[in-house]
Amino acid sequence: MTLHHADHESGRPSAAKDETVTAGALDRDPDGDEVDLLVAAWRQERPDLDVEPLQVLSRVSRLARHLDRARRASFAEHGLETWEFDVLTALRRAGEPYEMSPGALLRATLVTSGTMTNRIDRLAAAGLVRRRPDPEDRRGVLVSLTDAGRTRVDGAFADLLRRERELLSGLGKREQQALSSLLRTLLVPFDTTDTGVR
């Protein structure tokens, strides 16, 4: 990302000056990335502001976009939509017999009751989950993974982990652990029970 600078005489953007700024930023740091250019440009344009948060959060945002593409590619390769993966993995993580009530599922996936009912209907029609009466609640039902659902979600999850390892391949194991620890510290205040963030 680059920012245009106004020519003091004409008031028009000066492309030459813009190129000098971006090229200079790269010259100063041969390992620089787009965020370095963005930060350098903002520091020049708004020296009155502390733009240091961009160093971390712009990179987190860009990495999140790469992760989103990896997730979508993994799910598509296994014939799943993102929401299908979310429901199926909630059931898979529950452990044998891989079943939950619709209420527990909607809390795990943060959707409304109507949305969850629709999703269960569609997954059941695809043969990925089944409903059965809840033996402890005559009016309730339980939703469980079918063998086909378990196979599908296990394959998608394994593929996703492979792609995520590729995203992290530039870091060694200790660096990944250090980054994980720092991100945990950053996220803990937001991961409270009343927000539902997991």
Side-chain angles (χ1 to χ4, degrees):
M1 174 178 178
T2 59
L3 295 179
H4 292 292
H5 305 271
D7 182 277
H8 292 296
E9 294 181 0
S10 65
R12 293 189 301 272
S14 171
K17 187 176 182 181
D18 184 51
E19 291 170 1
T20 301
V21 171
T22 57
L26 286 176
D27 289 343
R28 288 192 298 272
D29 183 3
D31 297 321
D33 62 3
E34 288 294 319
V35 174
D36 289 322
L37 301 181
L38 180 150
V39 170
W42 275 120
R43 281 178 174 157
Q44 177 159 322
E45 290 298 308
R46 293 298 307 271
D48 56 311
L49 294 179
D50 176 12
V51 296
E52 198 62 22
L54 296 177
Q55 297 276 16
V56 175
L57 298 179
S58 287
R59 290 185 170 95
V60 169
S61 176
R62 287 164 186 259
L63 183 60
R65 290 199 293 272
H66 288 292
L67 176 58
D68 183 62
R69 285 198 289 268
R71 284 170 57 87
R72 291 177 184 278
S74 295
F75 305 157
E77 190 164 315
H78 294 271
L80 293 174
E81 298 286 346
T82 299
W83 66 265
E84 292 174 311
F85 181 84
D86 290 343
V87 174
L88 296 177
T89 51
L91 291 167
R92 183 66 173 90
R93 291 194 307 270
E96 291 190 66
Y98 311 114
E99 63 183 14
M100 300 170 70
S101 70
L105 271 174
L106 69 88
R107 288 190 295 273
T109 57
L110 304 177
V111 298
T112 65
S113 178
T115 297
M116 180 52 66
T117 297
N118 178 262
R119 291 181 175 184
I120 293 171
D121 287 344
R122 292 172 65 180
L123 288 168
L128 301 177
V129 305
R130 68 169 64 90
R131 290 184 175 93
R132 73 177 183 91
D134 186 342
E136 298 181 3
D137 181 356
R138 287 185 300 175
R139 295 178 299 176
V141 298
L142 293 172
V143 180
S144 57
L145 272 179
T146 62
D147 289 343
R150 181 179 171 183
T151 298
R152 186 85 63 88
V153 73
D154 279 357
F157 185 52
D159 187 47
L160 174 60
L161 289 175
R162 176 183 61 79
R163 294 172 190 265
E164 289 185 346
R165 282 192 292 270
E166 290 175 357
L167 286 176
L168 293 170
S169 62
L171 300 177
K173 187 172 183 179
R174 289 187 179 181
E175 291 172 317
Q176 291 183 33
Q177 291 171 342
L179 178 58
S180 173
S181 179
L182 291 170
L183 290 172
R184 182 187 301 112
T185 300
L186 184 63
L187 286 170
V188 162
F190 300 99
D191 283 350
T192 56
T193 55
D194 59 341
T195 65
V197 178
R198 294 292 183 268

